[in-house]
Amino acid sequence: MIAILKRVLLTFLLLMLSSLAVFAAIRLSGGDVTAARLPASATAEDRELFREQIGLNKPILTQYVDYLGKVVQGDLGNSLTNNAKISTLAVEKIRNSLILGGAAIVLIFGIGIPLGMMAAFRRNSWLDTSISSASVAGMAIPNFWLALLAVWLFSSTLGWFPSAGQGGIKYLVLPSIVLAAEGIALTVRMTRSAMLENLGQDFVRTLRASGLSESRIYFKHVLRNSLLPIISLAGLRVGQIVGYALVVETIFGWPGVGQILVNGVLRRDYPIVQFFSLLLVVVVTLGNLAASVGYTLANPRLRK
C-alpha cells in the first residue's frame, strides 16, 4: 500500500511538471496566435490589444496559474477559431476518441494474447512461424502507411468500408485495426516470450508430476505468471495509442481528440492546443500509473 501511495504522489508531481512544460512549450512555439481570430487587415495595435485581452502579455508562470484556476472552476475557455466552448467540444471529441481507443485496446489484447499463447504452445511449428512472421511485419510497417494502404485496398478498391468519417460500426473497423496493428504485434511477441520462459520453469515440471492437466497448467499457472510483463506493456500501449491516434484520426477523418488537436496546431488556436495537449499528458501519465499499480498488485513480491 505504501508503494502504491508513493507512486501516486510521484505521478501527481510528474503530472504538474509535465503540464507546465507543455504549457510553456505551446506559448514559446512561435507563430501568430492572432491569425486564428483577427483578419489579415488587422493592425499591429489591434493584434497587440488582442494578445493583452487573452493574457499573453503576462509571464508564462502567471498564465499557467491563471489557467489552472479557471480549469478548476470549470472554465476551459473558448476556441479562437469559431469561439466555441472547449467544454462542449471536449465532451464530443473525448467520447469519439474513447470509442476508437477502446476498440483498439480490445483488439490488442483480445487478439494479441491468444495468438501469443498459440505460438508458444506450438513452438517451432508452421503456426508459430506464421504468427511470428506476421507480428514482425506488424511492428515494421508504419501506421500511417498501413492506414493509406487500408484506405486504398478496402475502401477505394474493394469498397467494403468507408474511407473517412463517423457513422456506424463500419466507420470504426479500419481506423481501429490500423491503430491496434503494432500493439497486437508487440503483444504477440511479449506473450509468446513470457509463456515460453514460464513453460521452462521448474514449477511446470512439478505441476505435471502432480498430475495436473495441461490445460490447467497453461491457463491457471503459466498464463497467470506470464501476464506480469503484459500488464506493464498495457501502460505503454495507452501512450502509444494516444500518439498514433493523432495520425490515424487525421487520415480517417475521425472526429476525435487527435484530429482537433492537429487542426488547432495548424490554425494557431492556443486554447484548443493547450487543453487537448494537457489532456493527452494526463491520459498517458495516468495510464502508466495504472500499469504500475496493476503490476504491484499482481506481483506478490512487490506487494510485500
Side-chain angles (χ1 to χ4, degrees):
M1 193 63 180
I2 296 178
I4 294 177
L5 290 177
K6 287 181 179 180
R7 284 183 172 86
V8 171
L9 292 175
L10 289 175
T11 300
F12 178 77
L13 178 60
L14 177 62
L15 188 58
M16 295 303 296
L17 294 176
S18 300
S19 63
L20 177 58
V22 170
F23 188 91
I26 293 173
R27 288 292 189 272
L28 299 175
S29 61
D32 188 4
V33 65
T34 62
R37 175 67 68 87
L38 300 181
S41 59
T43 64
E45 290 77 12
D46 292 336
R47 296 183 186 279
E48 187 59 33
L49 179 61
F50 179 72
R51 294 189 187 95
E52 184 177 350
Q53 289 175 346
I54 62 176
L56 293 181
N57 59 332
K58 299 178 181 178
I60 291 179
L61 186 59
T62 303
Q63 295 181 45
Y64 177 71
V65 173
D66 292 343
Y67 178 73
L68 288 184
K70 292 180 180 179
V71 169
V72 171
Q73 297 174 5
D75 181 12
L76 303 180
N78 294 0
S79 169
L80 296 180
T81 305
N82 53 18
N83 204 35
K85 285 186 173 296
I86 294 179
S87 56
T88 303
L89 294 173
V91 172
E92 175 189 356
K93 303 303 180 182
I94 292 174
R95 182 183 68 247
N96 293 337
S97 289
L98 285 176
I99 293 173
L100 178 59
I105 290 177
V106 170
L107 291 176
I108 288 173
F109 296 106
I111 297 177
I113 293 178
L115 287 181
M117 293 175 61
M118 292 169 59
F121 295 158
R122 299 291 184 267
R123 184 180 184 182
N124 297 328
S125 67
W126 66 269
L127 181 62
D128 180 23
T129 302
S130 301
I131 293 175
S132 298
S133 300
S135 64
V136 171
M139 291 187 293
I141 299 176
N143 66 331
F144 70 88
W145 188 82
L146 182 61
L148 297 175
L149 182 62
V151 170
W152 169 77
L153 179 60
F154 296 107
S155 296
S156 301
T157 304
L158 300 176
W160 291 354
F161 303 102
S163 60
Q166 181 193 30
I169 191 66
K170 281 190 173 182
Y171 290 84
L172 182 62
V173 173
L174 290 184
S176 61
I177 291 176
V178 171
L179 188 58
E182 184 176 344
I184 293 174
L186 290 172
T187 303
V188 168
R189 303 289 292 181
M190 181 76 71
T191 304
R192 180 183 182 276
S193 299
M195 293 290 291
L196 290 177
E197 180 180 354
N198 282 279
L199 284 172
Q201 297 295 321
D202 293 337
F203 76 89
V204 174
R205 289 190 290 269
T206 303
L207 292 173
R208 285 172 176 162
S210 301
L212 269 68
S213 64
E214 289 294 315
S215 59
R216 185 174 183 183
I217 293 174
Y218 288 155
F219 290 99
K220 183 176 180 180
H221 299 280
V222 176
L223 179 60
R224 181 178 180 181
N225 288 319
S226 301
L227 286 178
L228 294 178
I230 298 174
I231 292 174
S232 297
L233 186 68
L236 299 178
R237 290 287 73 76
V238 172
Q240 182 190 56
I241 288 176
V242 168
Y244 287 171
L246 300 178
V247 177
V248 173
E249 289 184 2
T250 302
I251 293 177
F252 287 100
W254 185 266
V257 172
Q259 187 189 54
I260 193 175
L261 180 57
V262 171
N263 291 336
V265 171
L266 295 177
R267 296 171 183 173
R268 298 293 190 272
D269 196 334
Y270 269 21
I272 291 290
V273 178
Q274 186 173 275
F275 171 75
F276 287 102
S277 296
L278 294 176
L279 177 65
L280 296 185
V281 170
V282 171
V283 171
V284 173
T285 304
L286 293 183
N288 290 331
L289 173 63
S292 178
V293 172
Y295 189 83
T296 301
L297 294 176
N299 193 332
R301 290 173 295 181
L302 292 180
R303 290 203 305 267
K304 294 179 180 180

